[in-house]
Amino acid sequence: MKTRERILLTSLELFNTEGEANVSTVDIANEMDISPGNLYYHFKGKQEIIGELFNRLESQLIDILEAPLEKSIKTEDAWIYLYVVFEQICNHRYFYRSISDLLQRYPDIEKRFRRLVALKIRTAEAVARELVDHEVLKMDARQVSWLANNVAMQLTFWLNFDNLLSKNTPDPLAIHQGVFQIVSLAAPYLSPQHRYVYDECSSLYEHLIADL
Amino acid sequence: MKTRERILLTSLELFNTEGEANVSTVDIANEMDISPGNLYYHFKGKQEIIGELFNRLESQLIDILEAPLEKSIKTEDAWIYLYVVFEQICNHRYFYRSISDLLQRYPDIEKRFRRLVALKIRTAEAVARELVDHEVLKMDARQVSWLANNVAMQLTFWLNFDNLLSKNTPDPLAIHQGVFQIVSLAAPYLSPQHRYVYDECSSLYEHLIADL
DNA sequence: GTCTATATTAAGATAGAC
DNA sequence: GTCTATCTTAATATAGAC
């Protein structure tokens, strides 16, 4: 693997585990057993590494979030879809953990991340409307808009909150709790024939807790 | 006002507006027109300032959160109570904006803040149970626990999320949106006679938006 | 209590040899 | 492409005069 690529992967790994603020360019170089000078040959600095990591986060997330806008997802896939989003977020958790700080330091990233949040909401709204059309959910336009906002918020901050609840939740459990949390938001609006979605999700959740 | 107190107030103000990471001891001293040396006479450093600011945050929040545990609050006060909590959070928003970072740097604060989150959940649960007992809400124990978790999350991260939605929401509007967001969580479980709580909150929200 | 001046440290960054 | 050595900068912190 090329050094440039290794720098990006190592940085992502260290940022996720130690927190972006606690990782210096020298730390990254040490972790890789290369010299700081070498790192600076490949990147102008930490700034540029973060910029490139964000580029990837952004393009991946756009791909994921635009899919249901272009081609409506099947009803039974709606909650599976949440896993995909959460997993991507989890891979870049360092970013979500330090949002305010990073957005304050990088105005360019700030604009782009705000667009991502707006896209999250738009997608959540589209999916919810789809479910309403198929009579899986029963809610009016205002409730849909409320739900979409809330889903976006849960996606963005759930892993942070989970971290406050217990320090070292294994990733799969944390993600599943997040999904369950979101499904619970929609539960009161599920039509009787689709209650089983909530029950399925709920029992899967129980099993996961029992296993871990 | 004593210098020590002015340092604390100025720090809080600067942290809230600029972000804790972007404010140095020299910045604080400059803002107050005192010398850095003077600041260090009163505090061992930024660390100690943050420690003292957290002490206050903690004791205020405990006072607020323990009140409903000791003496049950009146049904119609339940959602007003949310404003009190949000306002306190808003006053210390720098802390909530940089939670991960601060908790990573100050293990002592981490432990204590985790206890505060647990207390938030306990209080939310107690209030919810109270409302269930008075037949304001209709939900089972599991739903109560889900709601309490969600309320705690909204309280903790709503202002952060609001900040992603639009950069400069005036505080009162942001807080009201947060309250509305939380009331909406409980709305599906409101008994018919108490629907009006949601409607009141909802129309107040519309008015606020129209005014601003 | 407050100031000025200065020391310390750690992160960020570059130059130049190999 | 990579290394070593070194420079710059900003934040933190202290000493000693007033």
Side-chain angles (χ1 to χ4, degrees):
Chain A
M1 187 158 35
K2 302 265 179 266
T3 301
R4 191 188 143 89
E5 190 62 20
R6 288 212 304 131
I7 292 173
L8 287 170
L9 292 182
T10 308
S11 302
L12 180 58
E13 174 69 16
L14 285 179
F15 291 166
N16 278 341
T17 52
E18 314 288 333
E20 180 272 338
N22 307 308
V23 179
S24 69
T25 49
V26 176
D27 292 332
I28 299 165
N30 284 344
E31 176 73 20
M32 299 173 61
D33 284 314
I34 65 170
S35 67
N38 191 0
L39 186 146
Y40 276 92
Y41 170 81
H42 291 282
F43 291 94
K44 281 203 189 60
K46 213 171 122 176
Q47 206 180 31
E48 208 176 270
I49 295 176
I50 290 174
E52 182 55 27
L53 285 177
F54 181 77
N55 287 343
R56 295 180 178 201
L57 179 162
E58 182 185 44
S59 70
Q60 287 168 20
L61 199 50
I62 287 179
D63 282 351
I64 295 171
L65 292 175
E66 282 186 343
L69 293 176
E70 287 157 7
K71 184 161 113 12
S72 69
I73 65 176
K74 280 186 278 184
T75 295
E76 58 272 33
D77 291 348
W79 68 287
I80 305 291
Y81 177 68
L82 291 172
Y83 283 93
V84 179
V85 183
F86 263 126
E87 206 136 322
Q88 203 268 349
I89 287 174
C90 194
N91 288 339
H92 295 265
R93 75 198 95 165
Y94 81 93
F95 184 84
Y96 292 83
R97 291 234 173 101
S98 318
I99 286 187
S100 324
D101 192 29
L102 290 171
L103 299 195
Q104 214 157 18
R105 272 152 59 200
Y106 306 106
D108 172 53
I109 290 184
E110 187 194 1
K111 284 192 202 98
R112 288 155 68 196
F113 188 69
R114 281 175 193 281
R115 277 203 289 272
L116 284 176
V117 174
L119 178 58
K120 260 186 209 163
I121 296 174
R122 249 187 353 267
T123 300
E125 238 172 353
V127 172
R129 264 199 297 270
E130 186 89 5
L131 294 176
V132 169
D133 288 347
H134 288 62
E135 296 186 329
V136 177
L137 291 178
K138 293 195 176 176
M139 48 202 319
D140 62 31
R142 193 199 217 159
Q143 288 168 328
V144 165
S145 146
W146 167 82
L147 180 63
N149 258 274
N150 232 314
V151 169
M153 161 148 184
Q154 297 273 353
L155 286 171
T156 309
F157 288 108
W158 168 257
L159 293 177
N160 283 341
F161 184 68
D162 177 75
N163 209 250
L164 293 177
L165 291 180
S166 60
K167 207 164 176 167
N168 290 316
T169 321
D171 288 354
L173 181 56
I175 290 179
H176 192 85
Q177 284 175 322
V179 173
F180 181 56
Q181 200 75 5
I182 292 179
V183 172
S184 300
L185 281 177
Y189 305 99
L190 278 171
S191 67
Q193 317 92 280
H194 289 88
R195 257 305 136 77
Y196 78 93
V197 173
Y198 173 76
D199 297 331
E200 256 181 33
C201 188
S202 164
S203 75
L204 188 50
Y205 174 59
E206 305 284 331
H207 276 93
L208 261 180
I209 286 183
D211 288 358
L212 294 161
Chain B
M1 187 158 35
K2 302 264 178 267
T3 301
R4 193 188 141 88
E5 190 62 21
R6 287 211 305 131
I7 292 173
L8 288 170
L9 292 182
T10 307
S11 301
L12 179 59
E13 174 69 18
L14 286 178
F15 291 165
N16 278 341
T17 52
E18 314 289 334
E20 180 271 338
N22 307 309
V23 178
S24 68
T25 48
V26 176
D27 292 331
I28 299 166
N30 284 344
E31 177 74 19
M32 298 173 62
D33 285 314
I34 64 168
S35 68
N38 191 359
L39 186 145
Y40 276 91
Y41 170 80
H42 291 281
F43 290 94
K44 279 204 191 58
K46 212 171 119 176
Q47 208 179 30
E48 209 177 89
I49 294 175
I50 290 175
E52 181 55 26
L53 285 177
F54 181 77
N55 287 342
R56 297 180 176 200
L57 179 161
E58 183 186 43
S59 71
Q60 287 168 20
L61 199 50
I62 288 179
D63 283 350
I64 295 172
L65 292 175
E66 282 186 342
L69 292 176
E70 287 158 8
K71 182 161 115 12
S72 70
I73 65 174
K74 281 186 277 183
T75 296
E76 59 272 34
D77 291 348
W79 67 287
I80 304 291
Y81 177 68
L82 292 171
Y83 282 94
V84 179
V85 183
F86 263 127
E87 206 136 323
Q88 202 267 351
I89 288 174
C90 194
N91 289 338
H92 295 264
R93 74 198 96 167
Y94 82 93
F95 184 84
Y96 292 82
R97 291 238 171 99
S98 318
I99 286 186
S100 325
D101 192 28
L102 289 171
L103 299 194
Q104 215 157 19
R105 274 152 59 201
Y106 306 105
D108 172 53
I109 290 183
E110 187 194 1
K111 284 193 203 97
R112 288 156 67 195
F113 188 69
R114 281 175 193 280
R115 277 203 290 271
L116 284 177
V117 174
L119 178 57
K120 260 184 208 164
I121 295 174
R122 248 186 358 265
T123 300
E125 238 172 352
V127 173
R129 265 200 297 269
E130 186 89 4
L131 295 175
V132 170
D133 288 348
H134 289 61
E135 296 186 327
V136 177
L137 291 178
K138 294 196 175 176
M139 49 203 318
D140 62 31
R142 192 198 217 160
Q143 288 168 327
V144 165
S145 146
W146 167 82
L147 180 64
N149 258 274
N150 231 313
V151 169
M153 160 147 183
Q154 296 273 354
L155 286 172
T156 309
F157 289 108
W158 168 257
L159 293 177
N160 283 343
F161 184 68
D162 177 76
N163 209 249
L164 293 177
L165 291 180
S166 60
K167 206 165 178 168
N168 290 315
T169 322
D171 287 355
L173 182 56
I175 290 178
H176 192 85
Q177 284 175 324
V179 173
F180 181 56
Q181 200 75 7
I182 292 179
V183 172
S184 300
L185 281 176
Y189 304 98
L190 278 172
S191 67
Q193 317 91 281
H194 289 89
R195 257 306 135 77
Y196 77 92
V197 173
Y198 173 76
D199 297 331
E200 254 180 32
C201 187
S202 163
S203 75
L204 188 50
Y205 174 59
E206 306 284 330
H207 276 94
L208 261 180
I209 286 183
D211 288 357
L212 294 161

